């Protein structure tokens, strides 16, 4: 440029415009692949994360209460003390048509059959969704709008103050973690960056419950058909795989033990596992995460 006080600038390989374009692309690539060591989670992230933790605690408390009541009601029915409370047809329920995930009918929550793995994967959905949107705000750089997969552990530690361990999910790397929740986030582009498939301004967090329940059902169907690949390999203490609620009504299977929300998939479970995620129907239609699947992710 003229202000650099060079006597002459020669464009040897390309013309000036092409050379400047190449330089800008190189700078953007370096930004994408280098870490923001001083990144600090902003107020928007902190507020959303705090709210989510409270919501999950309320969900789990609701599940515990419901299970206790269901057990009590079953005992009373057995003793001819009373009649069993009328239930909604849970197995044929339209998951994405539910108005209140804490009560789909008869006091039964949509997450009634969630096991350890379901709570874990629901948390992973929200955490990666939130991190993807928060990073674009907190980077304060229009050229840094997405988290590169190679820096997942670094930024996850920055945001959630805990390590991201793929082995704890029963997978080999961070890309495979994303694959478990690919109805919510995807790895896209040549630079392999995290892309949220849901908007940041969701009216509520109910959708994360719906996606998790739909995926739980899909896994169960595959397992019932003899598909062993449909089992998760989330490891608990003692090296045992996890097992979520498999059930429906009519005594087909036992309800899961009350799970405890873990900030990291390091908590214990001794139940057999479920699958890698199967893509549920998108509540957003073709405008949602379909584009990612069309790319083969």
């Amino acid at each position: 440029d003229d202000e650099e006080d060079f006597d002459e600038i020669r464009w040897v390989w390309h013309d000036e415009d092409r050379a400047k374009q190449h330089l800008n692309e190189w700078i953007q690539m370096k930004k994408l692949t280098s870490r923001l060591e001083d990144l600090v989670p902003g107020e928007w992230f902190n507020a959303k994360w705090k709210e989510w933790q409270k919501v999950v605690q309320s969900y789990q408390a609701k599940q515990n209460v419901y299970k206790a009541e269901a057990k009590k009601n079953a005992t009373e029915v057995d003793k001819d003390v009373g009649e069993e409370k009328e239930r909604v047809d849970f197995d044929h329920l339209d998951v994405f048509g539910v108005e209140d995930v804490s009560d789909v009918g008869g006091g039964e929550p949509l997450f009634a059959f969630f096991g350890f793995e379901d709570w874990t994967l629901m948390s992973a959905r929200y955490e990666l969704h939130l991190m993807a949107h928060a990073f674009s705000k907190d980077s304060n750089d229009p050229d840094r709008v997405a988290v590169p997969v190679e820096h997942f552990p670094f930024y996850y530690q920055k945001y959630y103050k805990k390590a991201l361990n793929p082995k704890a999910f029963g997978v080999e790397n961070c890309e495979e973690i994303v694959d478990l929740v690919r109805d919510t986030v995807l790895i896209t582009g040549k630079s392999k960056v995290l892309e949220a498939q849901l908007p940041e301004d969701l009216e509520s967090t109910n959708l994360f419950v719906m996606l998790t329940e739909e995926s739980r059902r899909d896994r169960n169907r595959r397992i019932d058909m003899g598909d062993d690949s449909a089992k998760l390999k989330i490891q608990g203490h003692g090296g045992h795989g996890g097992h979520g609620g498999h059930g429906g009504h009519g005594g087909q299977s036992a309800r899961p033990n009350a799970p405890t929300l873990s900030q990291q998939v390091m908590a214990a479970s001794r139940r057999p596992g479920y699958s890698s995620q199967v893509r549920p129907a998108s509540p957003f239609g073709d405008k949602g995460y379909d584009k990612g699947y069309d790319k083969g992710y």
Side-chain angles (χ1 to χ4, degrees), residues 160-216:
Y160 298 109
K161 312 303 180 188
K162 57 185 179 182
L164 181 62
N165 180 14
K167 297 293 185 180
F169 286 86
V171 297
E172 296 298 322
N173 53 56
C174 291
E175 289 187 62
E176 292 182 1
I177 293 178
V178 173
D179 191 56
L180 290 174
V181 293
R182 62 182 182 269
D183 49 22
T184 305
V185 288
L186 293 173
I187 302 297
T188 63
K190 294 181 180 179
S191 302
K192 291 190 174 183
V193 295
L194 185 69
E195 179 182 344
Q197 299 301 292
L198 305 177
E200 68 176 68
D201 56 347
L202 291 171
E203 292 183 1
S204 75
T205 56
N206 289 347
L207 183 56
F208 296 95
V209 178
M210 297 174 184
L211 290 169
T212 303
E213 171 60 16
E214 184 67 13
S215 294
R216 185 191 70 82

Side-chain angles (χ1 to χ4, degrees), residues 31 107 127 207 283 292:
K31 285 185 174 183
E127 288 174 1
L207 183 56

Side-chain angles (χ1 to χ4, degrees), residues 217-285:
R217 295 179 180 211
D218 285 337
R219 292 197 300 270
N220 285 342
R221 284 191 286 267
R222 292 176 60 189
I223 291 170
D224 288 343
M225 293 173 64
D227 183 359
D228 288 339
S229 68
K231 295 180 179 180
L232 284 176
K233 297 173 182 167
I234 295 177
Q235 296 296 310
H237 294 310
H240 295 280
H243 182 278
H246 183 65
H249 297 304
Q252 294 177 359
S253 63
R255 293 179 181 271
N257 292 331
T260 301
L261 177 63
S262 173
Q263 294 297 324
Q264 172 63 20
V265 189
M266 298 299 290
S269 174
R270 297 183 181 276
R271 304 180 292 259
Y274 278 154
S275 73
S276 57
Q277 287 286 18
V278 180
R279 175 200 179 197
S282 169
F284 298 105

